[in-house]
Amino acid sequence: MVKFSKQFEGQLVPEWKDAFVDYWQLKKDLKKIHLLDNNNNNNNNNINSDKNQNSSLSNTLFTSLKKISIFGHQTKEHEVIHVHKKLASTVSKGDMYETELLEQFADTDAAKEFFTCLDLQLNKVNQFYKAKEKEFVERGDSLKKQMEILIEVKNELKQQQDKGLASSLDSKEDPSISCTISCEEDSIRDKTEQEQQQQTNNTDELEKNEEPCLDSPRSDDMGRSIGGMKGEDSKLRSFSSRTFSCQGKNLKLNIPLTTPSRTFSAISYLVKEDLVNQSSRKCTPEGSKLRMNKTKLHHAEKMIKGAFVELYKGLGYLKTYRTLNMLAFIKILKKFDKVTGKQVLPIYLKVVESSYFNSSNMVINLGDEVEELFIKHFAEEDRRKAMKYLKPQQRKESHSATFFIGLFTGCFIALFTGYVIMAHITGMYRKQAKNSIYMETSYPVLSMFSLLFLHFFLYGCNIFAWRKTRINYSFIFELAPTKELKYGDIFLICTTSMSVVVGVMFVHLSLLAKGYSYTQVQSIPGLLVLGFLILLVCPFNFIYRSSRYRFLCVIRNIVLSPLYKVVMLDFFMADQLCSQVPMLRNLEYMACYYITGSYKTQDYGYCMRAKHYRDLAYAVSFLPYYWRAMQCARRWFDEGQTSHLVNLGKYVSAMLAAGTKVAYEKEGSAGWLWLVVVMSTFATLYQLYWDFVKDWGLLQMNSKNPWLRNDLMLRRKIIYYFSMGLNLILRLAWLQTVLHSSFEHVDYRVTGLFLAALEVIRRGLWNFFRLENEHLNNAGKFRAVKTVPLPFHEVDEED
C-alpha cells in the first residue's frame, strides 16, 4: 500500500505545492510528541507497574460511572481543544482560526507548536483557495460576456447573409459585418487587456486532433507582463481593428500577431492608416463602414474556445486542491489521535469542514456552467466531443515499448561492435591517405546521425528526470497530453534509428572490404539520409505523425524568425540547434555532395573548392545564432524588456567568435589567433554568466544555499556544484581550435566528433536546469494554467 505522503506528493499540482498543506512539517512536529510520549511511558512503566495492577479494577469502575449519568445517558465528554474563529478584517483576507488547548498534554509546548502549525496551514489553504476562486470567477464572467458578444456578432453576420448583403461585397473578400465606426481612441482599459499584456494566443493547439501543423502561440517565457506599451507599439503587438458599434455596443477586436500574415497585415494597416487614410479618422455623424471578415471572427472564436479550456483546467486543479487538502487534514489528525490518545479529530474536523475552502460551491457550479457552455457552442451538443478538449486523456505507456527498447538496444550494441571491428580491420579511421575518400564521404553520415540521436537520447533522459522531480515540462512546452512523447517513446526511436543507421553503415563498410568500388556503393549513405527525410515529412498517420509535424512547425517558426511569435518551445529548440552546428555542417556537405552528383565522379573536394558552397558552409555555422538573436529581438519587440536585448548580445558575441575562427582557419596568422582567443574568451564568459544567473537562476547572493538559490528541486547540492563545474569545462571546447589537439593515430574528424558530442552532452545538462528554473518561476507565481487573451474589448461611452 502506498503511503499517503507519497500519494499526496504525486497528485498535487506542482506549481501550487507551496500552497498545499505542509503535510511533511506537520509529521515532523507530530514525531516530536511521539518521541516524548515514548520516553515518558517508559519511565512511568518502571515506577508505577505495581500501582497499575492494584488500581486497574477501581479505575475501570470509576470511569464507567463517570460516563453514565443517573438517567442512564452518557454525558458529553470534556473537549480537549477549542478552535477560535476570528472574523476577517477585510474581504480578501478571510477568516482566521486559532486553537486553544483545554487539557494538558505530555508535552504542552510541542502540542502548541503542532496546533499553531496546523492553524497556519488551514488559514493558508483558505486564503489561497479564496484568491484562486475569485480569479477564476472573474475570468468566467469575462468569458461569458465574450461568448455573448461572439453570438451576437455571428447572428449579425447570419442576418446579413440572409438578406443578401454578402453578395454585394468584393468577391475577393469573405462575408463581413457592416458596423459603425465610433470616434473613440484605439485604447481600452479593462481586465481583458491586462490578460493580453501577460499572455498571447495559444488556442491553435486545441485543433491538433484535426490539423497536423498549427501555430502554438502563447506567452513568452510563461506570461511575463509587457511594459511600456503605448500608441503604435500597442497596435503592432496585436492587430486591433478600429472601434466599432454592433447592436448598440462599442467593440474592438484584437488578434495577437503570432504569424507572418498577421504581422504583415498589422504593418500594412498602420501604413495605410497613417499615410493614406489620415482624413478618415474624422468621424461623420453617420459614421463609416468597417468590414470584419470570417477569418478574424474564426480566430476570435478559437481564442474564446482556448480560454474556456484553460479555465476548465484551472477549475479542475482547484477541485484537486480542495480534495487533497481535506484528506491531508484528516490523515494528520488521525495520526495525532493515535499518538496522544486524545479525541481531537471530531472537534477540529468540524472546523475544517465548515471552513471556506471546503464549504464553498462556487468552483463546482462554475465548472458545470463552463462545461454546458462548451458543449453547446463548441461541441455541437456532443458531450463526448467536448470532453476530448476539456478532459484529454493521457496516452498510456505500453509494455511492448519497453520490450522493443531492449531488443533494439541489443541489436545496436551487436551491430556497432561489428562495425568497430570491421573499421579496425580495414584501418578506415587511421591517418592514411587511402582512407580519405571514406572519411570525407561516408563518415559524415554516421557522425551526423550519431550527434542527432545522442541529443535525442539525452532529451529522453531529461524527460525522465523532469518527471521524477515533478517538473511540469508538458505545461512549459505546451505539449498536448494525448500526443506528447514519453521518455519510453524517445528511447525506442533512438535505439531503433541507430540500429538501422549502424546496420546500413556496417553493410556499406563490408561491401568496401569485399572489394566493391566507391562508385558502386556510395549511394547507400545517401539513400539512408533520404529515407529519414522522407519519413520525417511523411503525411500518413504512423510513426508519431503528430510529433513529427509539430517538430516541423517549430523548425518553420525558427527559420522564419522574427516573423512568428516566440514561445518557450521555439527558443528552446533554437538553443538546441546552437549546439548542433557540426551536425548542420555535415548535413549541408552531404546535400552538396549528392545533389551536385559528386558521388558519381568521387570528386568529394568539389564542395570545398566551390566558393558559393564554401560560403554556404560558413553561413550554416552562423545561422543558429542568427535565428536565436532574431528571436530575442522579436521578444523585445513584443514585451519591451531590455533583458532580451542583452540576451541578443550573447548570440552576437558567439557569431563574432565564430567569425574570427573562420578567418583564422583561412589565414592562420598569429594576429588572428590572438583575436580568436580574445573574442572566444569574451563570448565564453558572457555565456557562462547567462547560463548560471539567467537560465539556471543560480549564484544568488543572499541564498540560504551558498552560490545556488533558495528553492532546489534536487536534494543533493553537490549535483548543482558539479554541473556548474562541468558546464564551465565543456564551454571551453573552443580551445581545441588553438591547441589543435587530436588522438594519436586517429583521424582528426573522429576528434571533431568527440568534441561535438561533448557540446551535445553539455546541452543535455543545461536543459534540465533551464526547465527547473522555469518551473520554479511558475511555482513562485502559482501559475498552473495559461491566461489566454480575449478578442473582444467592450468600450464604454466614457472611454
Side-chain angles (χ1 to χ4, degrees):
M1 185 177 179
V2 181
K3 290 185 177 181
F4 176 74
S5 58
K6 295 289 185 183
Q7 182 183 0
F8 182 68
E9 185 177 12
Q11 294 182 4
L12 58 79
V13 182
E15 290 80 6
W16 294 354
K17 184 176 181 179
D18 292 340
F20 277 82
V21 172
D22 195 347
Y23 186 77
W24 300 272
Q25 182 60 44
L26 290 171
K27 284 183 67 176
K28 289 180 182 178
D29 294 341
L30 195 57
K31 192 174 183 180
K32 296 178 183 177
I33 301 175
H34 181 61
L35 292 175
L36 188 61
D37 282 349
N38 288 338
N39 293 334
N40 292 338
N41 290 335
N42 291 333
N43 294 333
N44 292 334
N45 288 336
N46 294 332
I47 297 173
N48 300 323
S49 58
D50 296 334
K51 293 182 179 180
N52 291 337
Q53 292 177 0
N54 296 330
S55 61
S56 60
L57 180 61
S58 60
N59 285 339
T60 304
L61 293 174
F62 177 75
T63 304
S64 302
L65 292 173
K66 186 177 179 181
K67 291 183 178 180
I68 301 175
S69 67
I70 58 176
F71 299 102
H73 299 290
Q74 287 189 346
T75 60
K76 183 179 178 180
E77 291 189 8
H78 181 67
E79 290 187 349
V80 181
I81 62 171
H82 180 72
V83 183
H84 298 279
K85 180 179 180 180
K86 297 181 180 180
L87 297 179
S89 57
T90 59
V91 178
S92 60
K93 191 174 182 181
D95 298 331
M96 305 294 288
Y97 296 91
E98 184 176 346
T99 303
E100 178 187 359
L101 303 185
L102 301 180
E103 284 190 5
Q104 293 293 325
F105 288 81
D107 186 358
T108 304
D109 293 335
K112 285 183 178 179
E113 183 180 351
F114 172 80
F115 281 105
T116 300
C117 183
L118 191 63
D119 294 336
L120 181 65
Q121 299 303 316
L122 179 58
N123 295 330
K124 177 183 72 173
V125 169
N126 278 324
Q127 290 178 8
F128 180 82
Y129 186 89
K130 193 169 187 178
K132 281 296 177 183
E133 182 186 68
K134 180 181 178 182
E135 176 188 339
F136 289 137
V137 168
E138 289 178 353
R139 196 181 301 177
D141 293 338
S142 299
L143 274 174
K144 291 174 191 176
K145 294 179 182 178
Q146 294 282 316
M147 198 69 233
E148 292 173 359
I149 295 171
L150 178 64
I151 293 172
E152 290 180 7
V153 174
K154 291 175 73 174
N155 289 337
E156 182 70 18
L157 176 61
K158 186 176 180 181
Q159 290 177 8
Q160 291 190 6
Q161 288 177 339
D162 294 340
K163 293 177 182 179
L165 294 178
S167 60
S168 64
L169 300 177
D170 191 345
S171 60
K172 294 184 179 180
E173 293 195 14
D174 294 324
S176 306
I177 302 170
S178 178
C179 302
T180 304
I181 301 176
S182 303
C183 299
E184 290 83 359
E185 295 292 329
D186 287 336
S187 61
I188 297 169
R189 299 293 182 264
D190 65 357
K191 293 175 184 177
T192 54
E193 181 169 3
Q194 295 174 6
E195 290 176 349
Q196 180 153 1
Q197 290 177 348
Q198 294 177 352
Q199 300 282 348
T200 52
N201 181 27
N202 184 41
T203 53
D204 287 336
E205 180 73 22
L206 299 173
E207 304 296 332
K208 278 190 166 185
N209 292 329
E210 296 139 16
E211 299 179 26
C213 184
L214 291 170
D215 311 320
S216 180
R218 173 183 163 236
S219 70
D220 11 278
D221 231 1
M222 306 305 299
R224 297 172 184 171
S225 61
I226 298 175
M229 283 183 61
K230 297 180 181 179
E232 302 301 319
D233 291 339
S234 178
K235 294 178 185 179
L236 274 174
R237 289 168 185 169
S238 63
F239 183 48
S240 303
S241 63
R242 298 182 66 186
T243 306
F244 63 94
S245 177
C246 187
Q247 295 189 358
K249 292 182 179 180
N250 296 323
L251 302 175
K252 189 178 188 180
L253 176 61
N254 286 351
I255 305 295
L257 307 181
T258 55
T259 62
S261 60
R262 296 181 194 173
T263 304
F264 289 134
S265 298
I267 294 174
S268 61
Y269 172 78
L270 286 179
V271 172
K272 182 178 179 181
E273 183 184 52
D274 295 337
L275 301 179
V276 181
N277 292 334
Q278 293 183 2
S279 61
S280 66
R281 294 183 180 180
K282 298 180 180 180
C283 295
T284 61
E286 295 80 7
S288 58
K289 299 294 182 181
L290 174 69
R291 290 178 177 177
M292 183 193 303
N293 57 38
K294 278 187 174 181
T295 303
K296 292 181 184 178
L297 197 61
H298 178 63
H299 286 307
E301 184 175 358
K302 292 174 73 176
M303 291 170 68
I304 296 174
K305 184 178 180 181
F308 268 113
V309 171
E310 292 301 321
L311 175 60
Y312 191 83
K313 185 190 298 184
L315 294 173
Y317 286 158
L318 207 52
K319 292 177 185 177
T320 302
Y321 179 82
R322 174 181 183 170
T323 303
L324 288 179
N325 281 318
M326 191 65 194
L327 285 174
F329 280 117
I330 294 173
K331 290 289 184 180
I332 200 65
L333 289 170
K334 280 185 178 180
K335 287 181 179 292
F336 182 87
D337 288 356
K338 184 177 181 181
V339 169
T340 60
K342 307 286 185 179
Q343 293 296 320
V344 172
L345 175 62
I347 302 171
Y348 204 93
L349 193 58
K350 289 181 181 178
V351 178
V352 176
E353 288 176 344
S354 61
S355 62
Y356 187 85
F357 88 94
N358 189 63
S359 59
S360 176
N361 292 324
M362 294 178 67
V363 170
I364 297 176
N365 296 334
L366 181 59
D368 294 338
E369 193 172 354
V370 168
E371 193 173 309
E372 291 176 3
L373 287 172
F374 195 91
I375 293 173
K376 180 179 179 181
H377 298 290
F378 298 108
E380 301 174 352
E381 301 291 345
D382 188 348
R383 179 180 176 81
R384 180 176 296 180
K385 180 180 179 181
M387 289 299 105
K388 290 182 180 180
Y389 293 101
L390 297 177
K391 289 184 179 180
Q393 298 294 326
Q394 292 190 353
R395 186 165 49 87
K396 295 182 180 179
E397 298 181 3
S398 174
H399 293 291
S400 60
T402 306
F403 168 76
F404 283 110
I405 290 172
L407 175 65
F408 287 112
T409 300
C411 294
F412 166 72
I413 294 174
L415 291 170
F416 184 73
T417 303
Y419 178 82
V420 170
I421 294 174
M422 183 66 67
H424 178 72
I425 294 174
T426 57
M428 286 295 181
Y429 289 93
R430 295 174 186 171
K431 296 181 180 179
Q432 298 177 3
K434 67 178 182 178
N435 300 328
S436 59
I437 298 178
Y438 182 85
M439 297 303 296
E440 290 285 354
T441 59
S442 301
Y443 179 73
V445 175
L446 179 62
S447 174
M448 178 180 64
F449 281 115
S450 298
L451 292 175
L452 175 62
F453 290 110
L454 172 63
H455 206 145
F456 205 43
F457 173 79
L458 292 174
Y459 175 67
C461 295
N462 288 145
I463 290 181
F464 179 81
W466 290 330
R467 291 187 64 179
K468 287 293 182 181
T469 53
R470 298 280 293 162
I471 293 175
N472 196 355
Y473 69 95
S474 298
F475 170 68
I476 295 173
F477 287 147
E478 306 173 43
L479 302 176
T482 57
K483 298 181 179 181
E484 65 170 301
L485 290 178
K486 309 294 184 182
Y487 63 87
D489 298 319
I490 294 175
F491 292 153
L492 179 60
I493 293 172
C494 291
T495 53
T496 305
S497 301
M498 284 307 298
S499 297
V500 173
V501 170
V502 175
V504 170
M505 297 305 295
F506 176 74
V507 170
H508 176 256
L509 187 59
S510 300
L511 293 175
L512 290 175
K514 290 182 178 180
Y516 286 86
S517 64
Y518 281 99
T519 306
Q520 293 175 304
V521 299
Q522 203 56 29
S523 60
I524 294 178
L527 292 175
L528 177 64
V529 176
L530 182 62
F532 273 93
L533 290 177
I534 293 174
L535 179 61
L536 180 63
V537 300
C538 180
F540 301 111
N541 190 14
F542 70 98
I543 311 181
Y544 308 106
R545 185 184 69 170
S546 59
S547 298
R548 289 188 283 112
Y549 271 66
R550 181 68 186 275
F551 172 76
L552 293 175
C553 290
V554 173
I555 296 298
R556 176 204 62 190
N557 297 349
I558 294 173
V559 172
L560 296 180
S561 299
L563 299 179
Y564 278 94
K565 182 76 176 177
V566 182
V567 297
M568 178 71 185
L569 186 59
D570 292 342
F571 67 78
F572 184 84
M573 180 62 72
D575 280 326
Q576 311 306 306
L577 293 179
C578 290
S579 296
Q580 286 286 10
V581 172
M583 184 204 72
L584 295 176
R585 293 193 65 170
N586 285 334
L587 180 61
E588 183 275 334
Y589 175 80
M590 296 307 299
C592 171
Y593 180 70
Y594 284 100
I595 292 176
T596 59
S598 300
Y599 71 99
K600 297 179 180 178
T601 61
Q602 294 304 309
D603 187 11
Y604 59 86
Y606 172 76
C607 294
M608 296 296 181
R609 295 192 307 270
K611 185 178 183 302
H612 50 285
Y613 287 114
R614 189 170 64 249
D615 294 340
L616 179 61
Y618 291 138
V620 168
S621 302
F622 291 94
L623 275 178
Y625 302 106
Y626 167 78
W627 290 330
R628 193 65 185 88
M630 290 298 99
Q631 287 180 335
C632 293
R634 175 60 191 257
R635 296 185 68 195
W636 169 79
F637 173 81
D638 290 333
E639 299 180 23
Q641 296 180 1
T642 55
S643 61
H644 297 308
L645 293 180
V646 181
N647 194 17
L648 185 149
K650 180 185 72 172
Y651 296 100
V652 171
S653 67
M655 285 191 284
L656 292 176
T660 56
K661 291 177 186 177
V662 171
Y664 172 66
E665 291 176 359
K666 290 182 178 180
E667 303 295 334
S669 61
W672 280 110
L673 176 60
W674 280 107
L675 193 57
V676 167
V677 173
V678 172
M679 290 304 303
S680 298
T681 302
F682 174 75
T684 301
L685 294 176
Y686 203 156
Q687 293 163 354
L688 286 173
Y689 166 78
W690 204 267
D691 285 345
F692 295 149
V693 178
K694 299 295 183 179
D695 290 337
W696 293 5
L698 304 178
L699 298 180
Q700 295 183 4
M701 298 300 296
N702 299 321
S703 172
K704 63 182 180 181
N705 302 310
W707 301 101
L708 303 178
R709 62 171 111 83
N710 290 331
D711 298 323
L712 302 174
M713 300 298 293
L714 302 177
R715 296 180 180 179
R716 297 183 180 180
K717 300 177 186 178
I718 188 65
I719 298 177
Y720 292 91
Y721 297 119
F722 173 77
S723 300
M724 292 170 67
L726 185 60
N727 186 72
L728 169 63
I729 294 172
L730 296 180
R731 277 286 188 186
L732 299 176
W734 59 269
L735 288 174
Q736 189 269 344
T737 307
V738 179
L739 301 177
H740 298 286
S741 58
S742 61
F743 299 109
E744 187 177 0
H745 304 302
V746 176
D747 194 278
Y748 72 92
R749 300 173 190 84
V750 179
T751 306
L753 174 61
F754 175 76
L755 295 175
L758 291 180
E759 170 58 22
V760 172
I761 293 172
R762 188 201 67 81
R763 181 60 66 180
L765 182 70
W766 179 90
N767 289 344
F768 174 82
F769 296 104
R770 176 66 183 89
L771 248 69
E772 180 197 25
N773 187 40
E774 188 68 27
H775 174 79
L776 291 174
N777 290 336
N778 291 338
K781 299 177 182 178
F782 300 108
R783 191 166 47 214
V785 293
K786 297 181 288 293
T787 306
V788 180
L790 303 179
F792 295 109
H793 291 183
E794 186 174 350
V795 186
D796 297 332
E797 292 293 337
E798 297 177 357
D799 296 333

